[in-house]
Amino acid sequence: MILGLFSIFCTFCKKSHCASWMLLISFLLDIVVRTMTRHLNICSKSGAELNDFAVFTTFGLASALLLGVEGPLNGLLVIIYVLATAFRLCFYSTAGISFTYKGLPCSYASCVLASTSLLTKGNTFILSCMASLMILFMLDQSYYPHDEILESENWKKMVYLGGTIMLLLSPFSLTAFYCLMWSLSYIFFPDALWGRTQCLRPRHLRN
């Protein structure tokens, strides 16, 4: 949530580059925090509500502001994106299917926007197209596997480790491209790449 607020501040200061990096760092930290929460079993009602507020602030409001609010069309798209994020959070449901999300997780949509902003140097038209696509995925309510990357197969852990190392050591453009490909692979190939283990778990438990 703090990184999300910093991202909003950077956007208002016309530093979209810094705002985008705040969101990419938040994307990586979000995975770690959720893993630690599950591992330490420290879930609580207040913690869950605070998490939703942090997700809305960072992956909803801060991400939407990357689109800019110059002109009525951009402003309208920002409002729709924020509402789509709120809808995704309010109507989040596993619908009885274990190890799945319903609707694209907001963090992945945010990662796509932040990476696109960095790679295109804030091109408004491309960002608007990507934001419109992410809105459709969040509202579509399709099923996506739980991204328990740090508790899953080794190759998924390596994907996360690669993103962290690249963030620290590699050129910024390469890191943004890596995160974009990571997010798009989750969005377009959720079961083929990221859901194999999750699909097998319920079957194993039933047996």
Side-chain angles (χ1 to χ4, degrees), residues 164-172 175:
T164 304
I165 292 176
M166 293 183 73
L167 181 67
L168 297 174
L169 302 177
S170 71
F172 290 156
T175 304

Side-chain angles (χ1 to χ4, degrees), residues 52 55-56 82-96 100-106 137-144:
D52 285 345
V55 168
F56 177 79
V82 172
L83 291 176
T85 305
F87 179 89
R88 168 61 178 75
L89 291 172
C90 290
F91 295 96
Y92 162 83
S93 174
T94 57
T100 59
Y101 295 117
K102 190 175 182 182
L104 176 67
C106 306
F137 278 117
M138 285 191 288
L139 297 181
D140 182 52
Q141 297 292 282
S142 296
Y143 293 102
Y144 292 87

Side-chain angles (χ1 to χ4, degrees), residues 27 59 63 81 85 104-114 130 134-135 137-138 183 187:
F27 171 73
F59 301 131
S63 301
Y81 190 94
T85 305
L104 176 67
C106 306
S107 57
Y108 282 92
S110 173
C111 184
V112 169
L113 289 186
M130 294 300 289
M134 294 302 104
I135 290 171
F137 278 117
M138 285 191 288
S183 298
I187 293 170

Side-chain angles (χ1 to χ4, degrees), residues 5 12 25 41 64 78 82 84 92 108 120 145-146 156 158 169 181:
L5 293 173
F12 285 142
I25 295 172
N41 194 27
V78 168
V82 172
Y92 162 83
Y108 282 92
T120 64
H146 273 188
K156 295 180 182 179
M158 293 303 296
L169 302 177
M181 292 299 102

Side-chain angles (χ1 to χ4, degrees), residues 175-197:
T175 304
F177 180 77
Y178 182 91
C179 291
L180 180 62
M181 292 299 102
W182 173 2
S183 298
L184 291 179
S185 69
Y186 177 84
I187 293 170
F188 290 106
F189 307 103
D191 294 324
L193 289 178
W194 298 94
R196 194 168 300 168
T197 300

